[in-house]
Amino acid sequence: MAVFVALGAFLMTLAGGWTAQRVTDRRHLVLGLAGGLMLGVVGLDLLPEALKAAGEEVFGVPAALLLFVAGFLLAHLVERLLAARQASHGGEESNGRAPEVGLTAAAAMVGHSYMDGVAIGAAFQVGGGMGTAVTLAVVAHDFADGFNTYTITSLYGNARRKALTMLFADAVAPVAGAASAAFVTVPEGLLGGYLGLFGGVLLYLAAAEILPEAHHEHPARSTLLCTVAGAAFIWLVVGLAG
């Protein structure tokens, strides 16, 4: 049953990626929306869940928040190191961006989608009502996951084929996660730490890369509205799921 309902997440992820690639003539709007979706996912979904799951403090600060900051700094460090390596070897960059960063970020999105599938499987083990509630939440925000996976991969100069490959992997991941839930049990504290770290990575990509790029050539009011709409959509999803 969990695998069957996870197919809904598969389809919604593909729908999100399809939408992102179909509106390339409005790239600034796509990036503005992607930035808003990522901001909403981090602030309204990932961080609250991380704080619940990993609530213990380390030297007066919740462990989830420490890992959140670590994720932000790690993403910045990895991007700078890869960009420097590309430049020193004369490799190609996309507006100063190393393509490997886009692939790494997309791979992190795939890992997150896999964990979503595990959550669906675990919820169905608790009960049908809990499974349905978790599935609705996951399916609703998987549209944003697919949209962001394709956008991030493309933004860093990767070929369309690679972007589609990462999108398909992101779509399959929840199904694989739901199937493996019977054999995999993730400790709550470890899950909370992972969500905090992943949230920091996403926030860096949204704030330091996607939103500046969205406003670079088209600092239009419509771009800002798309960003607000993206964050508001995640708020709506979180509210309905709760």
Side-chain angles (χ1 to χ4, degrees):
M1 182 57 155
V3 175
F4 177 75
V5 297
L7 290 174
F10 172 85
L11 295 175
M12 283 297 285
T13 302
L14 290 181
W18 180 85
T19 302
Q21 67 170 312
R22 293 294 294 178
V23 288
T24 51
D25 58 331
R26 293 287 184 270
R27 185 170 179 268
H28 59 292
L29 299 181
V30 171
L31 293 174
L33 180 62
L37 290 172
M38 292 172 74
L39 175 62
V41 166
V42 171
L44 307 177
D45 186 17
L46 294 183
L47 270 185
E49 288 297 324
L51 288 170
K52 275 192 226 172
E56 67 275 8
E57 294 188 351
V58 178
F59 204 61
V61 178
L65 291 183
L66 287 174
L67 286 166
F68 172 75
V69 173
F72 188 97
L73 294 175
L74 179 64
H76 178 56
L77 177 63
V78 168
E79 184 193 34
R80 290 298 89 209
L81 288 175
L82 286 175
R85 185 171 69 85
Q86 287 284 109
S88 66
H89 288 82
E92 294 182 0
E93 293 185 5
S94 175
N95 296 323
R97 296 183 174 90
E100 292 93 337
V101 175
L103 293 175
T104 302
M109 297 290 291
V110 173
H112 177 59
S113 293
Y114 176 83
M115 296 304 297
D116 280 345
V118 172
I120 291 175
F124 269 98
Q125 291 177 16
V126 174
M130 175 66 75
T132 302
V134 171
T135 299
L136 288 175
V138 170
V139 169
H141 88 250
D142 269 351
F143 178 88
D145 284 352
F147 191 98
N148 289 334
T149 298
Y150 185 88
T151 302
I152 289 172
T153 310
S154 301
L155 177 64
Y156 280 83
N158 289 287
R160 182 173 178 270
R161 177 178 55 82
K162 289 185 178 180
L164 290 174
T165 298
M166 297 308 298
L167 172 63
F168 184 74
D170 191 45
V172 171
V175 181
S180 65
F183 311 101
V184 177
T185 302
V186 181
E188 188 176 22
L190 181 61
L191 178 61
Y194 157 77
L195 291 176
L197 188 71
F198 182 60
V201 171
L202 280 191
L203 184 62
Y204 175 81
L205 293 173
E209 299 295 334
I210 290 181
L211 288 178
E213 180 70 15
H215 291 276
H216 177 60
E217 295 181 359
H218 297 275
R221 195 175 306 170
S222 56
T223 306
L224 178 60
L225 289 176
C226 282
T227 302
V228 174
F233 172 75
I234 298 300
W235 185 17
L236 176 65
V237 169
V238 171
L240 292 175

